[in-house]
Amino acid sequence: PIAGRPHGDLENIVGMFINTLAMRNRPEGTKSFKSFLNEVRENSLRAFAAQDYQFEELVENLNIPRDMSRNPLFDIMFVMQNIEAMTLEAQGLGFKTCQIKHSISKFDITLAAYEKGGTIVFNLEYCTRLFKKTTIQRFIQHYINILKIAAENPEARLCDIEMLTETEKYKLLTEFNKTECCYPKNKTIQQLFEEQVEKTPEAIAIIYEDESLTYQELNGRANQLARVLRNKGVQAYAVAGIMVERSLEMVVGILAILKAGCAYLPIDPQYPRDRIEYMLKDSNAEILLTQSYLQMYIPYSGKVVLLDDASIYQGDIADLESITCPNSLAYIIYTSGTTGNPKGVMVEHKGVCNALQWRKSKYSFSSSDKVLQLFSFVFDGFVTSFFTPVISGSAVILATEEETKEPLRLRNHISRHGITHFIAIPAIYLAILEYANKQDLLSLRVVTLAGEKLTDNVIRRSRSINEKIQVINEYGPTESSVVATSFTVGEKLVNIPAGSPIPIGAPIPNTKIYILDKNNKLCPIGVAGELCIAGFGLARGYLNRPALTAEKFAENPFTAGERMYRTGDLARWLPDGNIEFLGRIDHQVKIRGFRIELGEIENKLLEHKAVKEALVLAKQYQNGEKYLCAYITADKQQLLEQQLTVSELREHLSKDLPHYMIPAYFVQVDKMPLTTNGKIDIKALSKTEGGVAEDAEYIPPTNMTEEKLIQIWKEVLNIERININDNFFELGGHSLKATSMAAKIHKLFNVEVTLKEIFSSPTIKDISQCISSRKESIYSSIEPAEEKEYYEMSSAQKRIFTLQQFDTNSISYNMPGVFELEGDFDTERVKQALR
């Protein structure tokens, strides 16, 4: 601030110059402190020319909206008073400056410097609603460290100046990462399972619909199948693809592959044909395990084993000699890739075993526990949600594919089987809670949530149903063997605004977490940076991607000879040693638990002959739910030949991409808006309205049921214009939104519509007919009562009769009212109605 009033006509006006408006300092890391200091000085001196510019006029000319809760131009101020306060004496009185303590901060932070007796005294004022005292104390210490280093070595590069004290570095590197734990390190996944089989051979291991297998039966079948794989000449350490529907065969197949000494490659049969072919070819899978009705789905020239062929389960049931070690590959999971094709993450036994043994101990799994398994086997959440219970003697209830999307049926599973533990994404758990009451979830002991950001509203809802349920928030990418950090939600959520994120916790045993800036330096507590992982859980790398592996699995700068995985996730340390997840620093997003590279979708869009440019963004509804929106420019010549429609774009993408990677919305723009430096202006693009041509004209609702359904769709899909023939999934719907819609239909119509019915009848018109037929069946099932001279009174009638005996003149239960009826009056009809 400059109190410059050189002109008489400005005496009553506060003149102010803001140096960040008059110039812009650029503290690039390669500059030396001295050169940057000179740059700031020159810019500041140049900016004095603007010192007479009036503050209010500046705000008005820049068209800045006024907000009385904050300053319109800046949040932080630095003040340098270079005139020492003097003591004045007049007529026997002495005058000196008195510091006044302000109870309200004018700005977020104000740092004032005063010259006093050859020294500089600093005073820092801050807003207590924004900053804790401990945060400001760290801030001050970091500032002192910068000044000290700069004074000692003015030629030091900015990126080399270390803000942290040795005490802070010790805390970040050692105290927060003190995770060494002695689990057996020479085990493989199948060995841990076989050890449990010996302990509880007759206990139920897995239940699927009406079928179940004991530990001994499951182990025996897996051994028989493993011998079949070895007899077919499958080499040790080979990759074996497994493409099956959810079933007992799926579980047997995975165990058999591991026992045979191979790594399993899970393939979802619902994946597009081209994606399946790519995965089998890229992984060089030597054999494919599948089911007979899926065999013709994909042409595969390698060896094939049909898991539903009873003849393969005839051999020796004894355990095979193990030919794998902890460093052997356990599985390869393909995740979204930036190049237009998915990339295979190679995960070893040792990392998985470390996570499994920690979870077994952490959650006290035992033979009395029953675990509901929900994750698809192509998702790494399956690994911990299935293998943790089966190395602990617990029973696994494997939900069917349809049930994993039906919260009502999952609630029934929990109640019927006495489920004590399950793992899910927060959205699924919240959907189950919408259907549940305390009795339904009485058996639940632990709920682990992972795959997407967890907010406090899920916790509050859980506690309102059953406060004894322990909720755990886990975090970990596929590249770190499923889980890297864990946070147990405490009993109290003090002063946490609704919708606030829950921390992802501290590193699990034998895992180290670093939060680094772009120069690979440790970020102080509270400062955002890239979350990096080291330790037992690191994957081997990306299959056939040596350059990408070297980039992402870099050398650990803090421990010689170790690797460190750069997650691309933005996070920060909290003072208590937990971590808060903040988002992404690149174009990767996580939606409904699925990891998606936006570049893969953009590349597939560009393969369409009519699409000239494409950009996909992850956006967010008001309720915090994320969705994908694709912005495209079209080739005008191609548009003359064929109009571009939503259905056509969806069909084009679905040939290569799974359903969760199809954007919810498509917006066609004439051209991509650009910033001054030639990059796409994301903010301007996000404000763009419009859409790709639709395939049908608007058809309004024809009855009350359709009108109510349209209101539900508007609420669930966040769109206004809905045609009764619109496809729910083409308007941006997905399985979780369908789950929400089914719950709202159940509440409004008292009719249960399953997700399978929504997928097969995805229009307003179809669902309306489904509801109408269901209502008719409900009412038609009520048999007419037989005619009697008199009928037994209801409980309510008995109660009123009893009360009437105490006061025979009471008219408490007679509620008189007067109605005016206009129109033709039919006396006989009124008499009949009253009778």
Side-chain angles (χ1 to χ4, degrees):
I2 302 296
R5 300 181 179 86
H7 304 290
D9 56 352
L10 296 177
E11 284 182 359
N12 297 320
I13 299 174
V14 176
M16 180 172 281
F17 135 73
I18 314 297
N19 80 4
T20 53
L21 290 174
M23 47 69 176
R24 185 170 298 280
N25 299 309
R26 301 187 182 279
E28 284 95 356
T30 55
K31 292 179 181 176
S32 70
F33 180 86
K34 186 176 180 179
S35 64
F36 180 60
L37 181 64
N38 288 333
E39 180 184 311
V40 173
R41 179 172 56 190
E42 290 171 10
N43 285 338
S44 298
L45 290 172
R46 229 180 7 251
F48 267 83
Q51 65 178 297
D52 295 332
Y53 205 90
Q54 295 171 32
F55 182 73
E56 291 297 331
E57 186 179 340
L58 183 66
V59 174
E60 185 179 339
N61 288 345
L62 291 175
N63 196 27
I64 297 173
R66 298 305 296 263
D67 179 355
M68 299 308 293
S69 67
R70 63 184 300 173
N71 190 287
L73 288 177
F74 60 93
D75 302 307
I76 297 175
M77 178 182 284
F78 174 76
V79 180
M80 176 66 188
Q81 297 289 0
N82 56 358
I83 301 175
E84 286 198 37
M86 295 182 294
T87 301
L88 301 177
E89 292 186 5
Q91 299 180 9
L93 293 175
F95 297 88
K96 65 178 180 179
T97 304
C98 177
Q99 294 293 332
I100 299 174
K101 291 186 176 180
H102 300 287
S103 60
I104 298 175
S105 63
K106 298 181 181 68
F107 307 103
D108 293 356
I109 292 178
T110 301
L111 180 61
Y114 307 89
E115 289 187 8
K116 185 177 181 180
T119 63
I120 298 177
V121 178
F122 289 95
N123 179 71
L124 193 144
E125 179 184 281
Y126 64 95
C127 177
T128 55
R129 291 184 63 184
L130 296 176
F131 300 101
K132 294 179 180 179
K133 187 175 181 179
T134 52
T135 303
I136 294 299
Q137 287 172 336
R138 286 196 303 270
F139 178 90
I140 292 171
Q141 187 58 58
H142 296 156
Y143 186 53
I144 292 172
N145 291 349
I146 292 173
L147 296 179
K148 183 179 178 182
I149 293 173
E152 292 173 351
N153 182 15
E155 298 297 338
R157 294 191 308 169
L158 297 183
C159 63
D160 294 331
I161 294 177
E162 181 64 77
M163 290 194 300
L164 297 175
T165 64
E166 291 302 317
T167 302
E168 285 180 295
K169 283 195 275 188
Y170 179 81
K171 179 174 282 190
L172 295 173
L173 291 173
T174 306
E175 286 186 19
F176 288 175
N177 281 309
K178 195 174 290 184
T179 62
E180 294 82 6
C181 187
C182 294
Y183 293 129
K185 299 177 182 178
N186 59 342
K187 304 288 185 181
T188 59
I189 299 171
Q190 66 270 21
Q191 286 174 331
L192 292 176
F193 170 68
E194 289 166 357
E195 288 175 2
Q196 185 59 47
V197 173
E198 292 182 8
K199 296 175 185 176
T200 56
E202 300 303 322
I204 295 295
I206 188 162
I207 298 171
Y208 180 77
E209 294 187 311
D210 297 329
E211 300 178 275
S212 65
L213 293 174
T214 65
Y215 273 84
Q216 193 170 49
E217 289 170 337
L218 176 59
N219 190 51
R221 283 201 192 184
N223 287 332
Q224 290 171 328
L225 180 57
R227 284 187 167 83
V228 171
L229 299 181
R230 286 192 180 179
N231 292 338
K232 282 186 171 286
V234 179
Q235 300 296 314
Y237 313 119
V239 175
I242 175 166
M243 185 176 73
V244 290
E245 302 283 359
R246 287 175 71 86
S247 57
L248 293 181
E249 287 90 350
M250 176 189 78
V251 174
V252 172
I254 291 172
L255 281 169
I257 291 171
L258 295 175
K259 284 170 172 282
C262 303
Y264 73 89
L265 167 68
I267 302 172
D268 190 336
Q270 296 181 15
Y271 278 170
R273 180 189 180 102
D274 290 349
R275 195 177 188 88
I276 295 173
E277 285 189 30
Y278 173 81
M279 290 167 62
L280 288 169
K281 183 178 180 181
D282 185 62
S283 65
N284 194 29
E286 286 194 14
I287 194 166
L288 177 64
L289 284 67
T290 186
Q291 292 156 313
S292 54
Y293 56 92
L294 294 173
Q295 185 178 8
M296 301 305 295
Y297 180 71
I298 186 78
Y300 176 68
S301 58
K303 303 164 187 173
V304 176
V305 173
L306 300 180
L307 295 176
D308 50 357
D309 179 3
S311 65
I312 63 177
Y313 304 107
Q314 306 294 327
D316 188 357
I317 63 171
D319 289 336
L320 290 77
E321 181 182 354
S322 178
I323 58 175
T324 52
C325 67
N327 291 325
S328 301
L329 276 187
Y331 56 84
I332 298 174
I333 285 183
Y334 275 78
T335 65
S336 182
T338 57
T339 61
N341 289 314
K343 57 183 183 293
V345 183
M346 301 182 288
V347 181
E348 298 174 344
H349 280 266
K350 65 179 180 182
V352 178
C353 288
N354 180 69
L356 295 179
Q357 292 177 103
W358 163 74
R359 295 186 88 256
K360 176 182 177 180
S361 172
K362 167 79 173 177
Y363 305 136
S364 304
F365 275 98
S366 70
S367 56
S368 62
D369 281 310
K370 294 182 178 179
V371 181
L372 183 60
Q373 203 288 316
L374 303 177
F375 283 118
S376 165
F377 78 138
V378 301
F379 193 61
D380 59 0
F382 171 85
V383 177
T384 49
S385 61
F386 171 72
F387 283 111
T388 306
V390 298
I391 69 163
S392 310
S394 308
V396 176
I397 287 76
L398 186 68
T400 65
E401 184 67 35
E402 292 77 16
E403 287 170 341
T404 61
K405 302 180 181 70
E406 298 276 3
L408 183 59
R409 296 172 74 179
L410 294 177
R411 180 207 68 180
N412 295 340
H413 263 312
I414 295 169
S415 178
R416 184 170 74 251
H417 291 289
I419 299 296
T420 61
H421 191 150
F422 70 83
I423 311 175
I425 62 173
I428 288 291
Y429 183 45
L430 192 58
I432 293 172
L433 292 173
E434 288 298 318
Y435 282 97
N437 57 46
K438 190 166 187 175
Q439 294 300 316
D440 296 326
L441 307 184
L442 209 55
S443 62
L444 266 185
R445 182 169 62 84
V446 179
V447 172
T448 306
L449 300 175
E452 63 184 22
K453 190 180 288 187
L454 172 63
T455 54
D456 77 297
N457 60 315
V458 180
I459 308 300
R460 296 183 199 275
R461 176 63 179 162
S462 177
R463 287 179 179 171
S464 70
I465 298 294
N466 184 352
E467 59 185 14
K468 293 183 179 180
I469 297 173
Q470 187 181 49
V471 179
I472 313 290
N473 190 24
E474 285 187 355
Y475 160 86
T478 305
E479 289 85 347
S480 70
S481 302
V482 189
V483 57
T485 69
S486 171
F487 180 77
T488 302
V489 181
E491 293 182 3
K492 296 181 180 179
L493 296 173
V494 182
N495 298 325
I496 297 180
S500 296
I502 301 296
I504 59 173
I508 70 167
N510 302 314
T511 302
K512 294 177 183 178
I513 300 292
Y514 308 108
I515 296 177
L516 307 179
D517 63 19
K518 61 182 180 181
N519 296 309
N520 252 17
K521 287 191 173 295
L522 293 170
C523 290
I525 293 171
V527 176
E530 183 178 12
L531 192 154
C532 301
I533 306 172
F536 267 31
L538 288 200
R540 185 179 295 179
Y542 299 110
L543 183 65
N544 303 326
R545 304 279 187 90
L548 184 62
T549 299
E551 175 190 344
K552 288 293 187 179
F553 293 85
E555 182 181 349
N556 186 344
F558 309 105
T559 305
E562 275 193 4
R563 294 182 308 149
M564 174 185 75
Y565 172 63
R566 308 189 71 98
T567 66
D569 287 332
L570 196 65
R572 63 179 177 183
W573 284 108
L574 300 176
D576 62 0
N578 285 304
I579 298 167
E580 183 182 356
F581 177 84
L582 300 173
R584 291 288 300 179
I585 60 176
D586 57 16
H587 291 288
Q588 186 188 106
V589 297
K590 223 170 191 181
I591 295 182
R592 306 192 302 281
F594 295 101
R595 207 168 84 181
I596 299 169
E597 293 280 2
L598 300 180
E600 183 175 357
I601 306 172
E602 291 165 356
N603 285 330
K604 292 301 177 185
L605 278 170
L606 291 171
E607 290 177 6
H608 191 287
K609 61 182 181 180
V611 176
K612 188 177 180 182
E613 296 174 290
L615 182 76
V616 180
L617 298 178
K619 304 181 78 174
Q620 192 166 291
Y621 296 119
Q622 288 184 346
N623 63 1
E625 182 190 352
K626 289 182 180 179
Y627 65 93
L628 297 176
C629 182
Y631 295 87
I632 60 171
T633 62
D635 185 292
K636 294 181 179 179
Q637 185 61 39
Q638 291 291 341
L639 286 181
L640 293 175
E641 302 175 10
Q642 182 180 12
Q643 189 180 25
L644 203 57
T645 65
V646 171
S647 297
E648 184 183 340
L649 288 172
R650 288 184 184 280
E651 185 179 351
H652 168 75
L653 291 177
S654 63
K655 293 176 182 177
D656 296 288
L657 303 179
H659 63 88
Y660 59 83
M661 292 181 69
I662 309 297
Y665 304 103
F666 294 84
V667 178
Q668 185 176 334
V669 294
D670 293 334
K671 62 179 181 179
M672 294 289 182
L674 302 177
T675 61
T676 53
N677 56 7
K679 295 182 179 179
I680 294 178
D681 190 335
I682 302 296
K683 288 185 179 179
L685 196 63
S686 296
K687 296 176 183 177
T688 304
E689 295 182 355
V692 181
E694 298 294 337
D695 301 313
E697 294 182 0
Y698 177 73
I699 301 175
T702 59
N703 55 52
M704 187 63 72
T705 301
E706 290 178 352
E707 285 184 14
K708 290 180 178 179
L709 281 173
I710 283 178
Q711 291 305 314
I712 291 175
W713 280 33
K714 285 181 178 180
E715 186 178 342
V716 171
L717 296 172
N718 287 279
I719 31 181
E720 282 300 316
R721 187 176 180 276
I722 295 175
N723 186 333
I724 64 169
N725 288 328
D726 281 339
N727 186 300
F728 179 79
F729 301 99
E730 290 185 1
L731 291 181
H734 50 70
S735 57
L736 287 181
K737 284 186 179 290
T739 297
S740 177
M741 178 173 68
K744 292 179 184 297
I745 288 173
H746 184 265
K747 286 183 178 179
L748 187 61
F749 297 101
N750 195 28
V751 167
E752 184 183 345
V753 177
T754 66
L755 278 189
K756 188 175 182 180
E757 289 171 320
I758 293 174
F759 274 93
S760 60
S761 306
T763 69
I764 293 280
K765 187 175 181 180
D766 292 339
I767 297 173
S768 174
Q769 292 173 355
C770 180
I771 291 172
S772 299
S773 63
R774 199 66 49 81
K775 275 185 170 180
E776 290 172 6
S777 64
I778 290 173
Y779 295 130
S780 62
S781 64
I782 302 174
E783 296 182 3
E786 60 177 303
E787 292 189 12
K788 295 181 181 179
E789 188 175 347
Y790 64 88
Y791 297 88
E792 184 181 355
M793 288 196 298
S794 69
S795 297
Q797 289 171 326
K798 289 176 182 177
R799 185 167 61 250
I800 293 173
F801 174 78
T802 303
L803 291 172
Q804 186 73 17
Q805 306 315 301
F806 290 101
D807 185 0
T808 55
N809 295 319
S810 171
I811 58 169
S812 298
Y813 290 91
N814 294 329
M815 291 172 281
V818 177
F819 298 89
E820 282 191 15
L821 304 177
E822 295 182 0
D824 296 333
F825 187 74
D826 189 327
T827 308
E828 288 305 314
R829 283 195 175 185
V830 174
K831 286 180 181 178
Q832 290 174 20
L834 291 174
R835 290 192 186 107

